[in-house]
Amino acid sequence: MNATTETVEKRLTRMALVRKRFARNKLAVAGLVILVAMFVLAFVGPFFGKHSWDSLDFFSLLQPPSKEHFFGTSQIGGDVYALTLRGLQKSLIIGILVAIFSTGLAAIAGGFAGFYGGKVDRSVMWIIDALLVLPSFLIIAVMSPWFRGRTWLIFVVLLAAFGWMITARIVRSATMSLRERDFVRAAIYMGIPARKIVFRHLLPNVASILIIDATLNVGGTILSETGLSYLGFGVQPPDVSLGSLIAEGTASALTYPWLFMFAGAALVLTVLAVSFVGDGLRDAFDPGSAMGKKL
Amino acid sequence: MSNNLIEIRNLSVSFPSEAGVVQAVRDVSLDIRAGEVLGIVGESGSGKTVMSLAMIRLLARTASVSGSIIHDDVDLLQLSDDAMSKYRGKEISMIFQDPLSALNPVHTIGRQIIEALQIHSEMNKSDALKRAIELLEIVGIPRPAERAQSYPHEFSGGMRQRVMIALAIANRPKVILADEPTTALDVTVQAQILDLLKTARDMTGAAVVLVTHDLGVVAGLVDRVAIMYAGKIVEIGPVEEVFAQPAMPYTIGLLRSIPRIDTVGSSRLTSISGAPVSPINLPEGCAFVPRCPAASDVCTVKTPELVSLSPTRMTACVRQGEIFALQDAGKLFQTGPVHVAPEITSDEVTLEVRGLTKTFPLMKGVLLRRQAGSVYAVDGVDLVLRRGRSLALVGESGCGKTTTLIEILNMVAPESGTISILGRNVAELSRSERLGMRKDLQIVFQDPFASLDPRLPIGDAIAEPLGNFGMSKADQENRVRELLELVGLNQSQASKYPNEFSGGQRQRIAIARALALNPQIVALDEPVSALDVSVRAGVLNLLAELQEKLKLSYLFVSHDLAVVQHVADDIAVMYLGSIVESGPVRDVFAHPKHPYTQALLSAVPIPDPKIERTRTRIILQGELPSPANPPSGCRFHNRCHVRSTLSPELAEKCSVVRPEMLKIGTGAVACHAPLK
C-alpha cells in the first residue's frame, strides 16, 4: 500500500517477486545459509582434519572426541570427523538430487496427465499403477548385478524412479480441477502452448504440494538409502553415508554416543534447513500467505 | 407497542478474522411493521444478510452480537437456542438464496413440509399431508399430490424456490425473511417468484423482509427500502420517495449507476469511484467518504447517525440537508461523455456464424454405456458481427449461449455450419494460421476471480500473450504499462498479485489482458454480472470507451437485458439452442416481434417504482424445457402467451412446424405469428 511513493519503477516478474518474498523470510534464508554451510563443510572440511576417512588409527579405538580426532574414533579406529563429512558429501547430494528428481518427475507426469486427459492421462496412469504394484526393492535386487560398479548417479535415478508415483497422482487430480478454471481457458484461447500452460499456470498453483513433497523426500531418501545399500549398490562399505553411519552407530548410542551423535546431528540439521527453505519457498509462491507480504 | 412487529435496536454483529474484527453490522436500529414489504438493499459485504440471519438467530457461533431484537415483548437475542426454535418457522421464517442447498436432498418435498407443519402444531400425519399438498398448490406446483412424493433434485430451480416459499408460509409466520430469493434464477422465472411472494404476503398478511442487491426487484415489490453500506443503514424511507429523490450520496450514485432497460438512447452511466469497503478496522467517520463526491472534512470526524429527514425518511449523512436541497443531485457524480452509437461506417463483417450446431451425446446405462440420444445444445445459430459494433447474444441459462461462444473460440470446424472470423472460414485454417487468428479474437470471462491466475503477478499475466507472440522484453514492458493505463490502473500495480485487487479492478486487468494483442473482436462473457452493482457502471463505461477508441467488435453474451440495452448495437435472442429474434437493439427493444423477446423484456424489473408498478408484465408459464427433449415445432410454443390468441390452425402449426428466420423490417424473427 505504498503506491504513493513509487514512481515509474521496473515491473517485477514472478521470479523476481518470489525471490524478493523469499528473501524477506528470515528463517528460510537461515535455512539456505545452513544448507550452503553444510555443503562447504562436507567438501572443504576434510582438509582441516588430521586423518582421511579411509585411514585407520589403530592406537585409538573408540576414543571420545579429542584434538587429534575432532569427533572421536570408531571401533576399528576410523576418524568419525572424516567419516561424517564423507557421509555428508554423499548423503546431501543423494538426498537433494533424489528429492528434486522424484518431485520433478511427479510434477511433470501429473501435470501433463491432468492437463491433457484422455490417452496421455491413461498411459501415465497405467505406468503409475504398474510401478505402484511392482515391488520396487525386488526389481532393484534383480537388476543390481547390472548396476554393480557403475556410477552412484544410477542409484539416484533409481531411487527417484520408485518414489514419484503417489505425488504424481495427487498432482494429476489437482491439475484436473485447475484445468477447468477460467484462467487456464483464457491461456488456451490466447494460443499459449500446453507446455507453457503446465509450467506457468498449473504447476505454480500446486507448488505447495510439490514443495512439501520434496522437503519430506530429502530426509526420507537419506535414511532409506541405507536399505538399498544392503542390496549391494549405492554407497558400499568401506565407503560411508550418513544413513549407514547412523545405522551402525545407533546400537552404541548410549555407550559411545559420538559414533552416532554427529551423523545424527548432521541429518537433523539438513532436514531442518531443507524444511525451512521449503516453507519459505511455499510462502514466497503463495500470494495469500501473510509471511511473504510483510516487510 | 405500536404496529411494529420487530424492533431492532442498536444491533451490532462482528466476526473475528485473521485480518482483524469484521464489523458486519454496526449499530443498526430498524422497525419492521406488520404487513409491509421492507427491502434491505446493499452490495456484497454490506451486512444485509448478516442482519437477516441475526433476526432468526442463525449466525455462526463465532459471531458476537449486541443490541436487541424485540418481537412480541421478547428480546430474541436473549433466548436460548431451544426457545428460539419455537419462533423459527412459526413467527419468523426464511427463504434462502440457493433453494438447492436449503432443501434436504434425501427427503421428499412432501415430507419436508409435513415436518415443518408438525413441529409447530399438533397435527396428525394425514392432515399435515393434506395441508402440504394445499400449500404446494398455492405456490403453483402443478399436480401437487404427485409432486409431494418427489425429491428436491427432481425440481428445477424455480420450482425449488416455490417449495421454499411453501415451507416458509406453512405455519403462517408474521415475518418472512427472503434473502436474495431470485438471484439464482432467470429473469422470466424471477418474475414468477416475485409474483408469488406478493401472493404469499397477501394470503398470510405477513411482513416480508426482502434482502437483495437488485434495485429493480425492490422497486416493484417493496413498500419501504433501507439502503445498507458497510454495516450501517445509510438511508431508509418509502420506496417511491427514496427512488425519486435520494438524499444520501451512496443512494444517489447507486440509483444512477445501474443500467436501465427503459432509458432511450444510451448515455454513459454514472460511476461511483473505488470499490465497496471491507468492514474491517473501519475508521471513525462515514464509511463512504473515500468514494463520496460530496465528502468534506466534517464527514471524517464522526460516524453519521440515522436522523430524520422528513416524517417518513431517515438518512445517515452529515450533509444531508444540503444534498437533499440540491436540484439535481445526480450532477454530484461524474458522468462520462454521451455514448454515440457508432454509425455503420463499414459493412465489414468481422465474425459470421451460419447454422452452427453442437450436440452432446446422451449416455445411458451403468455398466455398458451407450448413446441414447443427443442433446442439441446449439441448433442452427446464425450471427453476424460487424466492425466497431456490439452484438449481444442473450438468453436464459441453459439456452446454449455459452456453448455457442466456446464453439467460436475453439476455432475448429463445428459439427455442422460454418464459423468465419475476419472473412476466413475456421475449418480451413492450418495450425499456425489458427494460432495467428487467436490474436484477433480474445475473451473476457464472467468471473474475474477465476479468470486470473492467482499465482501470477498481473504484469506477467498481461505480458503473457505478448511474449507468446514473440514480442521483445523491452516492448512488453512498454505495452504492459500502456495497457494498465488504458484500463485505468496504476502502472506501479503491475507487480501485485490478483488477490490484492477488488472485483472491478480484476475485471479491468482481464480486459487489459484481452486487449494486449490488439484484437479486432472481443468476446465478453457476462463481463459485469459477477461484479458489485456500484462498480459495474465503471467497467461498462470503460468497455464503451475502449470500443470507440480501438474500433473493437464486441460479442457480448449476457442474460441481463438492461446491460445489453446499454452496451449493444445489435441483439440476437436465443431460446433453447436457436436464435428466435435478431436485429438492432433499439428496434428490438422498442418493438419486439417474437413473443419470447417480449416476455423477456417485460420480466426485467425497472428500478423505478412508478413505472415498475404500473406496467403490465407478461409472466411466462413454466421454465426452459430440457434441450435433451425439446418440444416439437416452435420450441417456445408450450410457454407462448400469444399462441392462445391465435386461430386453431395457426396454433397447430406452431406445435408442428419449426419456424424459419424471416426478415421483417430491420431485424429477423423466427415465429409463425410475429407481433406487430
Side-chain angles (χ1 to χ4, degrees):
Chain A
M1 291 295 142
N2 49 356
T4 45
T5 55
E6 285 166 337
T7 49
V8 183
E9 62 176 41
K10 208 177 146 11
R11 177 172 73 83
L12 294 175
T13 59
R14 168 155 65 190
M15 279 333 287
L17 266 180
V18 167
R19 270 201 298 276
K20 201 168 148 192
R21 288 160 64 98
F22 183 84
R24 276 182 209 152
N25 189 333
K26 292 209 177 68
L27 214 53
V29 174
L32 195 62
V33 170
I34 294 174
L35 263 190
V36 171
M38 304 267 298
F39 266 99
V40 172
L41 180 72
F43 288 95
V44 182
F47 296 112
F48 297 98
K50 291 179 179 149
H51 302 268
S52 80
W53 68 275
D54 47 358
S55 68
L56 300 175
D57 183 355
F58 296 113
F59 297 102
S60 47
L61 304 177
L62 279 177
Q63 291 302 306
S66 62
K67 267 191 187 155
E68 184 65 20
H69 301 281
F70 300 145
F71 290 177
T73 56
S74 68
Q75 290 93 332
I76 51 169
D79 181 58
V80 178
Y81 173 74
L83 284 170
T84 305
L85 294 191
R86 172 79 184 171
L88 193 59
Q89 287 176 11
K90 283 271 157 60
S91 292
L92 271 178
I93 293 178
I94 291 175
I96 289 171
L97 275 187
V98 168
I100 290 173
F101 279 165
S102 93
T103 307
L105 191 57
I108 291 168
F112 280 95
F115 178 71
Y116 278 115
K119 275 184 190 145
V120 178
D121 183 38
R122 274 199 296 279
S123 26
V124 171
M125 288 311 286
W126 187 85
I127 297 172
I128 288 177
D129 289 342
L131 279 175
L132 279 175
V133 171
L134 294 174
S136 54
F137 263 58
L138 202 67
I139 295 180
I140 294 177
V142 171
M143 288 162 86
S144 64
W146 185 77
F147 292 124
R148 207 176 296 273
R150 288 171 203 251
T151 165
W152 55 271
L153 270 173
I154 290 182
F155 178 64
V156 169
V157 171
L158 271 182
L159 275 178
F162 285 104
W164 60 280
M165 294 84 72
I166 305 268
T167 319
R169 288 192 80 130
I170 299 170
V171 172
R172 169 182 167 267
S173 56
T175 34
M176 281 176 101
S177 68
L178 280 173
R179 183 181 61 176
E180 301 302 322
R181 300 272 292 275
D182 281 347
F183 67 85
V184 178
R185 283 168 57 203
I188 294 172
Y189 293 141
M190 286 188 294
I192 312 288
R195 169 177 48 88
K196 283 194 184 160
I197 292 177
V198 170
F199 284 109
R200 192 181 290 152
H201 294 294
L202 298 177
L203 294 183
N205 277 289
V206 295
S208 309
I209 305 172
L210 296 176
I211 290 166
I212 290 169
D213 179 63
T215 315
L216 291 177
N217 269 344
V218 173
T221 307
I222 292 176
L223 288 178
S224 73
E225 158 264 327
T226 32
L228 286 177
S229 298
Y230 286 119
L231 292 170
F233 62 104
V235 183
Q236 289 298 305
D239 207 344
V240 290
S241 69
L242 279 190
S244 64
L245 282 175
I246 290 168
E248 281 165 28
T250 321
S252 37
L254 293 176
T255 41
Y256 308 106
W258 59 89
L259 288 182
F260 155 86
M261 208 168 57
F262 293 104
L267 176 69
V268 169
L269 211 57
T270 310
V271 172
L272 212 59
V274 167
S275 64
F276 285 159
V277 173
D279 279 359
L281 269 181
R282 195 193 57 203
D283 286 345
F285 267 107
D286 181 5
S289 86
M291 202 62 187
K293 247 185 255 169
K294 78 176 171 211
L295 279 163
Chain B
M1 243 179 84
S2 58
N3 61 348
N4 289 339
L5 266 180
I6 290 184
E7 290 180 353
I8 300 174
R9 290 289 171 268
N10 305 95
L11 179 72
S12 292
V13 183
S14 57
F15 298 90
S17 83
E18 277 178 37
V21 177
V22 179
Q23 295 164 286
V25 177
R26 299 184 296 148
D27 195 24
V28 165
S29 297
L30 181 70
D31 296 329
I32 297 169
R33 300 174 191 157
E36 75 168 348
V37 181
L38 173 70
I40 299 178
V41 181
E43 296 175 275
S44 56
S46 63
K48 56 190 194 303
T49 298
V50 172
M51 191 165 82
S52 61
L53 287 176
M55 272 187 254
I56 199 166
R57 289 272 310 275
L58 283 176
L59 287 171
R61 278 175 202 283
T62 50
S64 67
V65 186
S66 67
S68 62
I69 299 177
I70 312 284
H71 169 66
D72 256 355
D73 298 323
V74 179
D75 184 357
L76 299 181
L77 291 180
Q78 303 305 324
L79 292 176
S80 70
D81 199 54
D82 274 351
M84 187 63 209
S85 293
K86 301 258 183 312
Y87 284 84
R88 292 188 194 121
K90 177 80 183 148
E91 300 285 321
I92 306 174
S93 65
M94 182 119 189
I95 300 167
F96 295 94
Q97 174 175 353
D98 178 11
L100 182 57
S101 56
L103 292 168
N104 189 335
V106 299
H107 291 308
T108 59
I109 295 298
R111 198 171 154 188
Q112 295 185 51
I113 300 176
I114 290 169
E115 183 189 18
L117 287 166
Q118 286 184 323
I119 282 172
H120 290 293
S121 54
E122 300 286 319
M123 206 183 249
N124 66 36
K125 198 142 187 207
S126 64
D127 284 349
L129 179 64
K130 226 179 270 166
R131 172 86 179 124
I133 292 169
E134 204 181 298
L135 282 165
L136 287 177
E137 183 150 28
I138 290 170
V139 297
I141 305 263
R143 293 174 286 119
E146 208 176 298
R147 296 300 268 168
Q149 304 304 314
S150 310
Y151 289 90
H153 73 264
E154 297 172 67
F155 287 79
S156 65
M159 285 294 162
R160 282 189 211 120
Q161 201 59 293
R162 286 171 188 270
V163 172
M164 275 308 292
I165 293 174
L167 271 170
I169 61 173
N171 291 298
R172 299 190 167 274
K174 300 213 175 66
V175 181
I176 300 172
L177 302 174
D179 185 4
E180 304 261 16
T182 58
T183 308
L185 306 173
D186 280 312
V187 271
T188 56
V189 182
Q190 165 172 303
Q192 296 170 0
I193 296 295
L194 291 177
D195 215 44
L196 178 61
L197 267 178
K198 267 184 227 166
T199 320
R201 197 265 309 253
D202 295 342
M203 284 188 57
T204 57
V208 176
V209 179
L210 183 71
V211 177
T212 183
H213 69 277
D214 189 334
L215 289 163
V217 169
V218 169
L221 193 64
V222 161
D223 303 317
R224 226 154 47 97
V225 62
I227 314 279
M228 283 191 84
Y229 189 78
K232 282 190 92 70
I233 291 179
V234 293
E235 177 147 17
I236 186 166
V239 69
E240 294 87 0
E241 293 178 33
V242 173
F243 275 58
Q245 198 183 8
M248 160 79 192
Y250 176 62
T251 322
I252 298 169
L254 203 58
L255 281 169
R256 290 186 165 255
S257 69
I258 40 176
R260 289 169 57 152
I261 200 164
D262 59 333
T263 44
V264 190
S266 33
S267 59
R268 283 284 157 83
L269 299 165
T270 301
S271 67
I272 308 178
S273 61
V277 288
S278 67
I280 302 174
N281 303 325
L282 283 172
E284 188 71 10
C286 177
F288 190 58
V289 164
R291 305 176 70 191
C292 185
S296 65
D297 292 344
V298 284
C299 298
T300 54
V301 181
K302 213 174 135 272
T303 311
E305 295 301 320
L306 262 184
V307 286
S308 292
L309 184 70
S310 72
T312 49
R313 295 180 60 182
M314 288 167 98
T315 316
C317 178
V318 179
R319 304 183 61 196
Q320 54 167 312
E322 293 167 61
I323 290 167
F324 193 60
L326 284 179
Q327 279 303 311
D328 188 3
K331 291 240 167 69
L332 277 176
F333 287 90
Q334 192 186 342
T335 318
V338 174
H339 171 63
V340 194
E343 296 302 313
I344 315 174
T345 45
S346 73
D347 260 351
E348 193 194 339
V349 173
T350 46
L351 172 73
E352 187 171 12
V353 176
R354 290 274 164 236
L356 177 70
T357 306
K358 170 76 184 173
T359 59
F360 294 100
L362 197 64
M363 297 303 215
K364 235 183 181 175
V366 183
L367 270 179
L368 286 169
R369 293 182 67 77
R370 62 200 162 76
Q371 189 167 346
S374 297
V375 180
Y376 278 83
V378 178
D379 189 8
V381 162
D382 298 336
L383 298 171
V384 176
L385 175 61
R386 291 196 163 79
R387 181 173 303 280
R389 289 176 73 87
S390 306
L391 170 67
L393 185 60
V394 293
E396 295 175 278
S397 56
C399 73
K401 55 189 193 300
T402 304
T403 313
T404 306
L405 186 65
I406 287 174
E407 282 297 295
I408 294 169
L409 286 163
N410 279 343
M411 295 189 190
V412 290
E415 276 176 33
S416 70
T418 54
I419 300 170
S420 319
I421 300 169
L422 300 172
R424 298 277 323 258
N425 186 342
V426 294
E428 293 158 7
L429 293 177
S430 72
R431 221 184 134 92
S432 61
E433 282 173 322
R434 187 166 294 128
L435 184 64
M437 191 67 97
R438 294 224 177 272
K439 268 200 230 180
D440 296 317
L441 174 57
Q442 285 295 311
I443 179 168
V444 175
F445 288 99
Q446 172 176 11
D447 182 2
F449 291 85
S451 66
L452 294 172
D453 185 344
R455 299 214 161 173
L456 200 61
I458 61 145
D460 281 12
I462 297 172
E464 179 172 28
L466 300 172
N468 194 43
F469 284 93
M471 192 185 260
S472 75
K473 281 265 187 277
D475 289 347
Q476 281 183 37
E477 294 306 305
N478 290 332
R479 182 80 180 126
V480 168
R481 229 172 262 164
E482 205 177 288
L483 284 163
L484 281 174
E485 214 149 280
L486 194 65
V487 298
L489 290 171
N490 195 327
Q491 355 176 311
S492 64
Q493 290 169 315
S495 335
K496 286 183 177 165
Y497 287 102
N499 67 353
E500 294 175 59
F501 295 92
S502 68
Q505 285 176 314
R506 285 185 196 212
Q507 199 60 301
R508 285 166 190 269
I509 296 163
I511 293 169
R513 181 180 60 182
L515 294 179
L517 295 168
N518 274 322
Q520 309 198 34
I521 311 165
V522 180
L524 303 162
D525 186 6
E526 310 251 10
V528 294
S529 65
L531 303 179
D532 268 319
V533 183
S534 72
V535 296
R536 278 183 194 179
V539 172
L540 288 175
N541 284 346
L542 172 72
L543 285 171
E545 200 179 293
L546 290 172
Q547 179 171 39
E548 271 168 49
K549 210 186 274 179
L550 305 171
K551 298 276 169 282
L552 298 169
S553 308
Y554 284 155
L555 176 60
F556 194 94
V557 175
S558 182
H559 68 274
D560 189 337
L561 290 169
V563 170
V564 166
Q565 197 271 344
H566 198 78
V567 296
D569 305 307
D570 302 299
I571 187 172
V573 182
M574 209 167 166
Y575 185 79
L576 216 58
S578 44
I579 305 285
V580 295
E581 180 164 6
S582 63
V585 166
R586 206 173 289 185
D587 300 346
V588 172
F589 275 44
H591 307 288
K593 301 222 167 45
H594 196 282
Y596 178 65
T597 317
Q598 190 193 25
L600 209 56
L601 285 169
S602 100
V604 179
I606 295 171
D608 185 331
K610 270 191 215 133
I611 301 173
E612 181 65 11
R613 278 160 205 222
T614 47
R615 72 191 185 127
T616 47
R617 342 181 101 156
I618 300 157
I619 292 183
L620 285 182
Q621 294 305 305
E623 291 174 38
L624 200 67
S626 156
N629 188 17
S632 61
C634 173
R635 297 194 158 177
F636 185 60
H637 81 262
N638 54 350
R639 291 178 75 194
C640 187
H641 55 282
V642 176
R643 192 166 161 246
S644 56
T645 63
L646 299 177
S647 66
E649 302 88 73
L650 202 52
E652 176 66 22
K653 193 180 172 193
C654 287
S655 60
V656 179
V657 184
R658 204 166 156 199
E660 294 285 318
M661 279 294 259
L662 292 174
K663 256 189 109 62
I664 298 180
T666 50
V669 61
C671 182
H672 293 307
L675 302 163
K676 293 289 172 297

